[in-house]
Each structure stands twice: as structure tokens, then as C-alpha cells.
Amino acid sequence: MPSQVVSNMRPLRVDLMTRVESRLDAFLATERARWAGVDSRAGVPVDAVTALVAAGGKRLRPAFCVTGFLGAGGDPDDPTIVDCAAGLELIHVAALIHDDVLDAAEFRRGSPAVHAKYTAEHAALGWRGEPRRYGDGVAILSGDLANVFAERLAHALSPGPRRIWGEMLTEIQVGQFLDMAVAAEGVIEPKLSRWIAVCKSGRYSIHRPLLLGAAIAGREDLAPAFEEYGEALGEAFQLRDDLIDAFGDSETAGKPVGLDLAQHKMTLLLAEAVQRDGRVRKLVSEPEWDTAALRERLIESKGDIENRIDVLVERAHRAIDRAPLGAAWRNELTKMAVEVAYRNR
Amino acid sequence: MPSQVVSNMRPLRVDLMTRVESRLDAFLATERARWAGVDSRAGVPVDAVTALVAAGGKRLRPAFCVTGFLGAGGDPDDPTIVDCAAGLELIHVAALIHDDVLDAAEFRRGSPAVHAKYTAEHAALGWRGEPRRYGDGVAILSGDLANVFAERLAHALSPGPRRIWGEMLTEIQVGQFLDMAVAAEGVIEPKLSRWIAVCKSGRYSIHRPLLLGAAIAGREDLAPAFEEYGEALGEAFQLRDDLIDAFGDSETAGKPVGLDLAQHKMTLLLAEAVQRDGRVRKLVSEPEWDTAALRERLIESKGDIENRIDVLVERAHRAIDRAPLGAAWRNELTKMAVEVAYRNR
């Protein structure tokens, strides 16, 4: 293949992402001002959502949504894409807030998780009732509010994109539930765990946002290529996530690590190890897990997992090579795959 | 005014409500079958939502939405009204499921609350982790799922009704939060408590559903009359709710009673009593409430509250008398006001 000059699409994408950030900021500031006008306390759940948005995060879902849209030839001045991408980040924030209650996780994006922060505030101020009940309550309602804001931002979706949006949201909740149920019951079914990982994380992080962006631009024909790219890269993303939890340090990750093993989570990483290694299967069959022993077994398979990530990234690249997209956008999506699969947080 | 024969619109409304029930049943059955096909456990959050829908409830919000729509001259064969009214009931179910976690309420609609049921199941089966964490988790995710289902049912709303829908959902969450915060902090501000009661309950039970129905029928001109009717009747509805909690029995109510006082909830009933009776103000200023003494004081003001309900119902009736509606629908809304304000559960 002759070498060719391919334009760099990153600036176009970054520009649209800047508008997504502004939209998020403006929307949340308006809501805060409005509710703080009713009573000073009424801003609290808006603040909880705003703080998590402001604390950073990878903006993975908006980024893939915007890229799917631009790659499909969407008009960068269409306000629908900005609103929808902003809404996607709020869906993610809502899922994180609720997930941290489910997992009793104390930190998120480098700060105390919402439930933990407000449990501590209740205890410190000696308010009435049980601090945990109050902290969990703030988290439940803040997450609910983030979901409401997301739906309000997604107000202008036409029927095609709206179906994808609704499908994605349903998968998130069912996936989250299965994740929790399998951990509680101590189920060892690698196939089911794999399905859960793909459903609750990979699919909604990459595949669905890309599809949504393309559908807003009216390019449903991109669905097969985006599905192949998204499912492969989603799995690589999840394996990297699992590796960070198992072997990363919490300072770099901005959240506690080691929680998956501590909470008996049958991650994709562990599900693969169970299939390959009888000793891992035996260890996870115990009612209480020997996390040190498990971690030792998993270290041995780190190389295999890295190889698997390489294979998945290659598959994603091949899917994009064949996609009916301009060369510049194929190039951008190829670069994004590498960034997602080899990130360190 | 000469007496005239006014047709009875109840059968038309009941017929549309029957279709709302069928829509709810069919939607939930389809979701259940779909997810149970993935894994037997995946149906659990759908079942939690379905059980609460099937357990009854007054269907107040769908009823007012449907009545607003038909009164406004909407076409009974328009699928949007059926979907939207079904979605309203799921919004309500989601709010109940999450509210019961916030309040640690054990029963709802005559059965164990979702969190209580699954906490007990976890404990009975000896699963891993903490039963309460699991039960609360099932409730959080089932409520989230009910909200997602509601949004999917509301897919076809045009911009006007969608704005009302989004406004209503935002008010519910902020109102719920303030309710919880005021109880935790022990705030005695009757005006704020009144605002909370109107926002979190009255408005979303009657006013917003009516407005939504009228907007779907394209009759935004009905907004002022529906606002006056809805706000007055919403307050009467809430006062009746408070009376049932304070003086009803739990068997008739289908839920625990006496919780408001036990949880230091500054209800509308109590807020009115605080304004009228210095002894009540003194009692609620204590860090721990003497619920027996409070109940005794409240019994004395039962008559006043009943009078207040009468006044509110009259105000609702006058608003409807002046509304640009056909006589038959004015009559139907007049009857509904009486049924709502003088119900016993």
C-alpha cells in the first residue's frame, strides 16, 4: 500500500469535546442556581454530580460518541450530538455513584465516593438517624438526578438513536445486577461472567456510544464495523481495567484497587484464568477467597492477558480498516484503540 | 344554571386505563422473557418492578394523565398517551423502591419492600457479603431499571410534553433529597416543609400528569386551570396521606403507618400544626421526638385539617368549573377530586 498523507482529525474531535464540556458545565450550573434559589440545601445533589464530573475521568463515552458522529460525516454544528455526548457522561456518573454504594467503595476519581462523603458529613455534624442510611440516600438521589439530567440532555434524539440509547441503559442496569448477584451467590460460570463484563462495561463504553454517534448522523450502515471494533476494544478495555484493579496502585488509578478480589467479583480477568488454570478454579470455589494466593496465580497469567489484549486491539484495527469511513477517521479510531487498551488508569 | 344531562365519561377513561395496564404488563413480560433468556438471575430486577406494579396501587398519576388528555380532546387511539401513562406509573414505582431504602421502610403495597425482601433472601441463603448491602443494591438497581423502562415508554413525547416530563422528574429527586435533609438536620421551617410536600408529592401526583396529558393532546391553554386544580388537590392529597400515616392502620393502608413521626419527617400536617400550636413547635425542637405527645397534639387538630381539606377540594372544584373543558369532563374531574381527598389508603 502506498503511503499517503492522512489528515489529523484529533483537533476536530477535541473541539467538539470542548463544547461537550461547556454544555455539561452550563447545564449543571443552571440547575444549581435554580435549586439553590429554593433552599441552600437543594443544591447538594446537583453539587454531588457536578463534583464527580469536575473530578475528571476519561470521557471515554462522549469521545467515542463524538468520533462515531464525525466519522459518519455528521455536522459538527448539530447541537444534538453535543447534548447526547454530555448526557452519556452523566449516565456514566450516575452508574458510578450507584455502583460505589453497591460495592461499598470509599473513593472515586481521587476523592471520597458520594455515599462515603455524606455518611461522614452526617456523622461529623451529629444529625438525626443513621449516617450510612443518609450517605447512601444522598448517593441514590444524586445518581437518580444525574440520570434525569442525562435524559433531559438526550431530549432531541430521533427514534433510531433513541432506541440505541434505551437499549444501552437497560443493559447497564441488568449487567450491574448480574455482576452483584454472581458475586453474592459465588457463581463460577466463566461464560456468564464474560457476558456480564461485555454487557455492563465494554458495550456501553465503546460500542453503543459509537453506534449512537453514527445513528445521530444517519449512518446506520456503519453498525457492523462499529460493532466488531467496539466489542473487541470493549473487551480489551475491560481486561485493562481488571489488570489495573488487580495490579495497579490506587494513586495512579484514582480509585481503590484490589476491590474485585476482595469482593469476590468474577471479572473477565478471573473468568479467563478459571478456564485456563484448575488451581484458580479451586481457589474461587472456596466460600472465602485467599486473595493473596489468587493474586499470585493471576500474576503468572499477566503475560497471557497482555497477549490477549494485543489480539483484541488488532481485531479492532482490522474492523476499522474495512469500515466505510474516510482514511483520516480510520486513523483516528486506530489511535484511540491503542490509547484505550494500553492506558494506565 | 338550568340542570342538564351530562354524559358519564368514566367508562371512556376506564377503557384507556385498561390499555395502560395491558401496556405495562406486555412491556414488562417482554423484558422478563428477554433477560431470563440470558440467565435465570437476570429476570430478578424486572420481577421486582413487576411485583410492585402487580401489587396494585391507586394508579393516580396515569389516571390524571389520561383524564387530562381525554378532557383536552385527545384521540383515545393515540398510542403516545398509553405509553406515557404507563411510564408515569413506572416513575412512581421507581420512586417508591428508592424511597423505601431511604426510609428503611419494611413494607409497601402490602408486601415486603424490595430492599427488605432481598436482604432477607440473602440472609436466608447465606450468600457472600452483607445482606443489607445486597438488598439495598437490588432496590437501587430495580428502581434504576424502572426509570429506564419509563423513559423508553416515553420515547415518543414531542418537545412540549417532554419538557414537562423532565421538569417533573427533576422536582421528584430534589424534593426527595430536601425531605431527607430536613429530617436529618432537624430543620423546623414550615414554609420549606410545605414547599417540599408540594414539590415531591402533590405536584407530581396530580398537577404534572394532568398537564402532561393536556400537552400531549396539544392543549397547553388548559395549563392555568389544571395548575390551580392540581396544586389545591395535590395539597389535599398530601394532607390525607399524612392523616393516614398519623392515624390510619397499616392493614388498610397496605404500608407501615406512623413512620413520619418516627423518622422526624416534617410533613405538611406537622408543618401546619407547628404554625398553629406553640406546644407542637416545642415538641419538634427536641433532638428526640416524643411521638406519643405529638400524636396527642395532632389528634386535637384533626378537625382543622379536615376543614382545610374541604376548602382545598372546593378550590379545586372552582378551578375546574372555570376550565375550558366540556361539562362531562368537568364533572369527571370534580368526582376524582372527592375520591382522592377522601380516600382511606
Side-chain angles (χ1 to χ4, degrees), chain A residues 31 34-35 38-39 41-42 44-45 98 101-102 104 122 127-128 130 132-134 136-138 140-141 144-145 147-149 151-152 155 162 166-167 169-171 173-174 176-178 180-181 183-187 189 192 195 264 284 286-287 289, chain B residues 31 34-35 38-39 41-42 44-45 98 101-102 104 122 127-128 130 132-134 136-138 140-141 144-145 147-149 151-152 155 162 166-167 169-171 173-174 176-178 180-181 183-187 189 192 195 264 284 286-287 289:
Chain A
E31 287 295 320
R34 178 191 170 187
W35 294 112
V38 169
D39 182 78
R41 296 169 197 86
V44 167
H98 283 180
V101 179
L102 269 48
H122 187 287
W127 285 342
R128 287 165 167 166
E130 184 203 23
R132 170 177 166 186
R133 184 72 58 190
Y134 178 82
D136 285 1
V138 177
I140 291 171
L141 296 172
D144 286 348
L145 192 63
N147 277 325
V148 168
F149 288 166
E151 292 288 349
R152 283 173 52 195
H155 67 109
R162 185 164 291 281
E167 177 70 12
L169 297 194
T170 310
E171 282 172 351
Q173 304 308 336
V174 175
Q176 288 277 52
F177 169 75
L178 277 176
M180 183 177 75
E185 295 183 38
V187 176
E189 290 179 23
L192 177 60
W195 185 91
H264 301 87
V284 298
E286 301 296 326
W289 287 3
Chain B
E31 287 295 319
R34 178 191 168 187
W35 295 111
V38 169
D39 182 77
R41 294 169 198 86
V44 167
H98 284 180
V101 179
L102 270 48
H122 186 287
W127 285 342
R128 287 165 166 165
E130 185 202 22
R132 170 175 165 188
R133 183 72 58 189
Y134 178 83
D136 286 0
V138 177
I140 291 172
L141 296 172
D144 286 347
L145 191 63
N147 278 324
V148 168
F149 288 166
E151 292 288 349
R152 283 173 52 195
H155 67 107
R162 184 164 292 281
E167 178 70 13
L169 297 195
T170 310
E171 282 171 351
Q173 304 307 336
V174 175
Q176 288 276 52
F177 170 75
L178 277 176
M180 183 176 76
E185 294 183 38
V187 176
E189 289 179 25
L192 177 61
W195 185 90
H264 300 86
V284 298
E286 301 295 326
W289 288 3

Side-chain angles (χ1 to χ4, degrees), chain B residues 245-264:
Chain B
D245 185 82
F247 307 113
D249 67 283
S250 62
E251 203 170 318
T252 311
K255 57 186 174 187
V257 297
L259 271 185
D260 291 339
L261 285 182
Q263 299 185 335
H264 300 86

Side-chain angles (χ1 to χ4, degrees), chain B residues 230-248:
Chain B
E231 297 276 316
L233 187 56
E235 191 175 333
F237 167 77
Q238 190 54 52
L239 285 172
R240 178 64 59 202
D241 221 45
D242 293 348
L243 284 173
I244 292 168
D245 185 82
F247 307 113

Side-chain angles (χ1 to χ4, degrees), chain A residues 38-83:
Chain A
V38 169
D39 182 78
S40 61
R41 296 169 197 86
V44 167
V46 186
D47 288 344
V49 174
T50 306
L52 202 50
V53 169
K58 298 178 282 292
R59 303 291 193 259
L60 204 63
R61 292 141 199 96
F64 277 105
C65 184
V66 155
T67 308
F69 175 82
L70 291 172
D75 173 6
D77 290 325
D78 181 351
T80 305
I81 184 64
V82 174
D83 283 356

Side-chain angles (χ1 to χ4, degrees), chain A residues 128-304:
Chain A
R128 287 165 167 166
E130 184 203 23
R132 170 177 166 186
R133 184 72 58 190
Y134 178 82
D136 285 1
V138 177
I140 291 171
L141 296 172
S142 302
D144 286 348
L145 192 63
N147 277 325
V148 168
F149 288 166
E151 292 288 349
R152 283 173 52 195
L153 280 162
H155 67 109
L157 292 183
S158 55
R162 185 164 291 281
R163 258 193 306 276
I164 298 169
W165 174 271
E167 177 70 12
M168 180 185 72
L169 297 194
T170 310
E171 282 172 351
I172 294 172
Q173 304 308 336
V174 175
Q176 288 277 52
F177 169 75
L178 277 176
D179 196 41
M180 183 177 75
V182 159
E185 295 183 38
V187 176
I188 307 170
E189 290 179 23
K191 260 186 158 170
L192 177 60
S193 294
R194 194 185 156 73
W195 185 91
I196 294 168
V198 167
C199 175
K200 79 166 264 234
S201 178
R203 199 172 289 166
Y204 112 86
S205 301
I206 298 162
H207 173 198
R208 299 288 182 209
L210 269 174
L211 221 61
L212 198 51
I216 294 170
R219 287 283 306 276
E220 321 260 346
D221 65 300
L222 283 163
F226 280 172
E227 177 172 352
E228 202 178 332
Y229 172 90
E231 296 276 316
L233 187 56
E235 190 174 332
F237 167 78
Q238 191 53 52
L239 284 172
R240 178 63 59 200
D241 221 45
D242 293 348
L243 284 173
I244 292 168
D245 185 83
F247 305 114
D249 67 283
S250 62
E251 205 170 316
T252 310
K255 58 185 174 187
V257 297
L259 272 185
D260 291 339
L261 285 182
Q263 297 185 335
H264 301 87
K265 281 278 165 74
M266 186 56 69
T267 59
L268 204 48
L269 180 69
L270 201 53
E272 301 245 332
V274 162
Q275 284 183 299
R276 244 190 349 256
D277 186 340
R279 287 164 300 181
V280 173
R281 173 176 283 274
K282 191 159 175 297
L283 283 166
V284 298
S285 305
E286 301 296 326
E288 284 305 317
W289 287 3
D290 181 342
T291 55
L294 268 171
R295 206 160 166 282
E296 209 165 299
R297 303 292 328 146
L298 289 175
I299 284 174
E300 282 181 31
S301 60
K302 257 178 94 172
D304 290 340

